[in-house]
Amino acid sequence: MRNARNIFSRARLEADGSAPLYARLKRLVSEAVLAGEVLEGDAIPGERDVASMLDVSRVTVRKAFAELVVEGVLTQRHGSGTYVGQPRKRMEQPLSRLTSFTEDMRSRGLSTNADWIDRSLGLPSPEEALKLALSPGEKVCRFHRLRRADGYPMALEKAVIPQSYLPDPMAVGDSLYNALKERGHKPVRALQRLHAVALQQPEARLLGLPTGSPALSIERIAYLADGSVVELTRSQYRGESYDFVAELRLVGGE
Ligand code: 16G
């Protein structure tokens, strides 16, 4: 078994700008894993060693490692140390079914939670007003969340919902679709557009990935049975975690 000592260099930590030290240390490890510099099962030196190699406090190392363990990048075996974790399996997501993140993860046996970045009421941008077909002056609820599955950051989502369907943004708990369903406004149909992006620094940081990592940018416009638009959501899904799968059928019968 190899030892991952060589990835811990002060110069690498300093190259990463102004983020808190523990966040820079997390990125250093995640980046090394993504780049294949360390492999599953490689041993990570102890907290004290890493702290002295990098000239940071043990508290910083402990905090970074604890979060990396929650995210599955590292694993800790009681009494024997810390190791590089198992690479996460990619998730297959059918493109033909309209599901919510919560339903979707639950069906895979994963727990969900979200870090709220914004949950507020406000005026729509001109583009949002157009896409949501809003009347002048109509307000929207905004929900900006980092979505996690079993603690692991999967996607960033910015949802915009007309206030007429959800009067109070604070009334939304774990699931936006549940809140809409409770009010009789669950979407029945949606159009989704996907394209590839390289993550900018703020989004990459939130997802715990190096800047420039690939992601899928998705826009969903969802409709009620009467054809009105109920949701406009823009999301960024980790590129290395998802396969979006579409079933194709021959058209025309030949
Ligand atoms: C999914 C949807 C998103 C929807 C959310 C509701 C995609 C690309 N996006 O993440 O549009 O707002 O589910 O999930 O699938 P929730 O009910 O768990 O809040």
Side-chain angles (χ1 to χ4, degrees):
M1 186 198 340
R2 302 185 321 165
N3 187 302
R5 282 191 87 76
N6 52 331
I7 63 169
F8 295 100
S9 94
R10 180 76 202 184
R12 274 193 176 188
L13 206 61
E14 276 166 6
D16 192 18
S18 56
L21 271 173
Y22 88 90
R24 285 194 250 167
L25 176 52
K26 273 184 72 182
R27 277 163 59 91
L28 185 155
V29 176
S30 305
E31 244 166 313
V33 172
L34 278 178
E37 287 177 64
V38 285
L39 300 174
E40 184 189 351
D42 285 354
I44 298 287
E47 271 172 28
R48 192 196 310 252
D49 271 4
V50 174
S52 82
M53 280 188 273
L54 296 177
D55 195 19
V56 298
S57 74
R58 281 185 73 174
V59 177
T60 299
V61 179
R62 190 168 310 141
K63 185 166 161 93
F65 282 11
E67 289 195 11
L68 288 165
V69 167
V70 170
E71 291 168 15
V73 178
L74 299 181
T75 56
Q76 265 162 354
R77 293 180 211 146
H78 196 63
S80 88
T82 306
Y83 300 88
V84 176
Q86 206 179 31
R88 292 186 79 86
K89 287 208 184 70
R90 296 174 69 86
M91 288 189 189
E92 283 204 1
Q93 170 79 13
L95 274 172
S96 52
R97 275 211 311 267
L98 178 59
T99 52
S100 76
F101 186 84
T102 308
E103 279 168 355
D104 208 40
M105 294 305 140
R106 204 167 283 159
S107 71
R108 299 166 202 268
L110 302 174
S111 67
T112 56
N113 69 324
D115 300 357
W116 286 97
I117 301 163
D118 182 27
R119 180 164 28 170
S120 60
L121 195 61
L123 284 171
S125 69
E127 192 207 354
E128 288 165 355
L130 202 69
K131 288 195 163 161
L132 290 164
L134 298 173
S135 330
E138 201 179 328
K139 289 191 173 163
V140 289
C141 295
R142 288 179 195 288
F143 304 99
H144 188 186
R145 291 174 287 176
L146 171 67
R147 315 289 318 246
R148 294 176 184 271
D150 274 358
Y152 183 77
M154 296 298 296
L156 278 164
E157 279 186 349
K158 279 186 182 173
V160 187
I161 310 286
Q163 194 192 5
S164 48
Y165 299 124
L166 273 182
D168 177 12
M170 299 316 278
V172 172
D174 293 339
S175 166
L176 174 60
Y177 275 23
N178 272 352
L180 286 168
K181 186 174 166 196
E182 275 162 20
R183 303 192 63 84
H185 301 310
K186 189 159 183 204
V188 296
R189 183 173 78 84
L191 284 179
Q192 217 161 265
R193 301 171 74 94
L194 286 81
H195 66 271
V197 289
L199 288 169
Q200 304 281 309
Q201 200 194 45
E203 288 78 24
R205 257 187 214 298
L206 286 165
L207 286 166
L209 289 169
T211 304
S213 299
L216 278 165
S217 172
I218 304 174
E219 181 186 87
R220 181 182 283 191
I221 298 185
Y223 301 85
L224 298 176
D226 69 1
S228 28
V229 184
V230 64
E231 173 195 13
L232 168 64
T233 294
R234 295 205 171 103
S235 331
Q236 283 162 327
Y237 277 69
R238 300 174 77 106
E240 90 294 17
S241 298
Y242 265 90
D243 283 336
F244 286 88
V245 180
E247 187 186 56
L248 309 177
R249 284 173 195 267
L250 185 67
V251 180
E254 280 300 301

